[in-house]
Amino acid sequence: MHDIVLIPGDGIGPEITRSVTTILDKAGADINWIKCTAGKNANDEQGTPLPEKTMEALEKYPVSLKGPLTTPVGAGFRSVNVTLRKKLALYSNIRPAKTLPHIKSRFDDVDLVMFRENTEGLYIGKEQWVKKHSHAESIAVVTRRASQKIIRAAFEYAQKNDRNKVTLVHKANILKFTCGLFLEVGQNVAEDYPDIEFEDLIVDNMAMQMVIRPEEFDVIVTTNLFGDILSDLASGLIGGLGVTGAANIGDDKAMFEAVHGSAPDIAGQNKANPIAFLLSSLMMLEHIDEKKLASNIREAIYTTLGDKEACTPDIGGSGTTETVTQAICDNL
Ligand code: NAD
């Protein structure tokens, strides 16, 4: 039995969590869920968005599955998600985007994996007013150590998964020190992987290339802010936020979550698509070496995507969270 920390989260989080645990249970996953709270719900109930008990569980157990979190204003946190990634040293944010059967999108054969540096860049939160409400500044941090870790993780992934190319995305023509360092580290790391093609592209060009010829990209590695934006773009290429899973991986901890947020506009309405969170849970099953189980559930998802009456409206269906959950269970 696998011990896994489960944080249902806010907004649509509890609905999609119910769906995912039901499907994993039906598929025969042997998991002992250690239930914890974080985010707005935790703040309302316990006066903090990151209770000590949750942090203790996340530090004790190596794997967690986390629903989307809303960070309440005035609770002492800029972002609970960013804090968790930093505290648990989850330096790789991995977001695959692969064309799905039965999902209408502009391209037929997208199959890329985005590696986003998760702990530094512009997201360290060093912002200040130089003059209140008229002049603000924000500092971006890029270190050789963190750059090496994320870029090496991207190459290792490429090597283990028979991928042919790594594309490093940057803005070193303008941000000569921060992005310049990231690019230099990438060029050095690439030398250790002579069988994998390496290219670098400037982020604005990359944004255009991704909507013109996304099928030509394979593994992409980039800094925190660029990765945040480009990975949402990548999910748009294959059907949107409702069908994109993600993982946050460090040296000894891994946290799986969907790319999307808590979607307060549809929370509690039985409209949320649980497939993104379910795909994240499949990345989790693969991580804990339950590959057969993951592939069985993936097959059931692919079959269900053809059943428009069961699927949720965000992907053109007329169903609900409950009908899609039931259909995936029936297709297992
Ligand atoms: P969002 O991803 O929650 O929603 C964007 C749009 O996509 C909304 O219209 C929403 O209804 C739709 N959507 C998202 N997930 C869906 C799903 N599974 N099924 C169907 N439709 C879905 O982004 P937002 O509105 O910018 O953010 C809402 C809150 O979530 C904010 O508090 C934000 O900080 C938080 N957030 C958390 C995470 C995380 O926990 N990792 C990530 C992003 C945003």
Side-chain angles (χ1 to χ4, degrees):
M1 184 174 279
H2 304 277
D3 290 323
I4 292 176
V5 177
L6 179 67
I7 301 174
D10 298 310
I12 59 171
E15 299 162 65
I16 57 174
T17 300
R18 226 171 6 255
S19 164
V20 167
T21 50
T22 303
I23 295 164
L24 263 54
D25 194 37
K26 179 81 197 300
D30 199 7
I31 295 175
N32 172 36
W33 296 112
I34 295 137
K35 286 203 180 132
C36 293
T37 55
K40 186 175 176 307
N41 284 339
N43 195 57
D44 292 347
E45 286 160 17
Q46 301 173 53
T48 169
L50 195 48
E52 227 166 87
K53 261 182 122 175
T54 301
M55 220 40 240
E56 277 168 19
L58 289 169
E59 263 149 22
K60 178 170 176 193
Y61 298 101
V63 180
S64 53
L65 182 64
K66 183 190 78 62
L69 302 181
T70 302
T71 302
V73 178
F77 286 82
R78 182 177 294 270
S79 157
V80 179
N81 289 310
V82 174
T83 305
L84 282 173
R85 291 167 192 165
K86 187 99 191 153
K87 274 189 184 247
L88 299 170
L90 302 168
Y91 56 84
S92 296
N93 185 261
I94 306 171
R95 296 179 168 187
K98 184 170 164 42
T99 300
L100 293 163
H102 312 294
I103 299 281
K104 232 175 130 187
S105 62
R106 288 171 200 274
F107 301 95
D108 296 330
D109 46 4
V110 176
D111 185 9
L112 58 85
V113 184
M114 180 87 58
F115 277 70
R116 159 188 169 194
E117 203 293 320
N118 222 4
T119 57
E120 48 182 46
L122 259 182
Y123 285 16
I124 54 161
K126 278 206 178 158
E127 280 193 302
Q128 62 176 28
W129 292 115
V130 177
K131 186 161 178 252
K132 208 143 193 201
H133 303 301
S134 70
H135 182 172
E137 63 184 18
S138 181
I139 290 174
V141 168
V142 172
T143 65
R144 180 171 293 278
R145 187 179 142 78
S147 304
Q148 274 170 339
K149 275 178 170 274
I150 184 71
I151 297 167
R152 203 164 278 287
F155 273 98
E156 283 295 313
Y157 176 92
Q159 196 162 61
K160 281 195 193 113
N161 293 278
D162 294 325
R163 299 275 184 163
N164 300 318
K165 184 167 77 171
V166 172
T167 304
L168 182 145
V169 181
H170 62 89
K171 188 76 189 176
N173 52 329
I174 305 283
L175 303 170
K176 292 189 173 13
F177 294 173
T178 47
C179 281
L181 174 59
F182 194 75
L183 175 59
E184 182 213 311
V185 171
Q187 287 161 338
N188 291 341
V189 171
E191 287 174 13
D192 294 340
Y193 300 86
D195 297 339
I196 298 169
E197 187 188 338
F198 174 69
E199 67 177 0
D200 71 272
L201 284 181
I202 293 174
V203 63
D204 35 344
N205 181 22
M206 180 66 175
M208 183 193 67
Q209 301 291 348
M210 277 178 74
V211 297
I212 287 182
R213 50 176 193 111
E215 58 285 316
E216 287 179 29
F217 293 104
D218 199 342
V219 174
I220 298 166
V221 62
T222 189
T223 50
N224 208 339
L225 174 64
F226 299 156
D228 196 3
I229 298 165
L230 293 178
S231 58
D232 271 32
L233 190 161
S235 66
L237 297 172
I238 56 130
L241 289 173
V243 287
T244 321
N248 298 289
I249 312 265
D251 286 335
D252 46 28
K253 294 270 188 293
M255 175 177 275
F256 297 83
E257 63 178 338
V259 172
H260 63 71
S262 53
D265 52 335
I266 56 164
Q269 297 172 30
N270 200 13
K271 280 185 188 163
N273 190 346
I275 290 179
F277 198 37
L278 184 58
L279 289 170
S280 313
S281 81
L282 301 193
M283 293 174 81
M284 177 193 82
L285 290 177
E286 282 158 2
H287 180 82
I288 59 173
D289 250 345
E290 294 283 2
K291 295 192 174 67
K292 179 80 181 83
L293 197 56
S295 107
N296 289 347
I297 301 173
R298 196 177 298 278
E299 282 305 313
I301 296 173
Y302 288 178
T303 308
T304 306
L305 289 174
D307 179 355
K308 293 299 170 206
E309 279 178 24
C311 288
T312 47
D314 60 301
I315 50 171
S318 55
T320 62
T321 313
E322 280 167 6
T323 57
V324 70
T325 306
Q326 188 57 51
I328 295 171
C329 287
D330 293 344
N331 286 324
L332 277 166

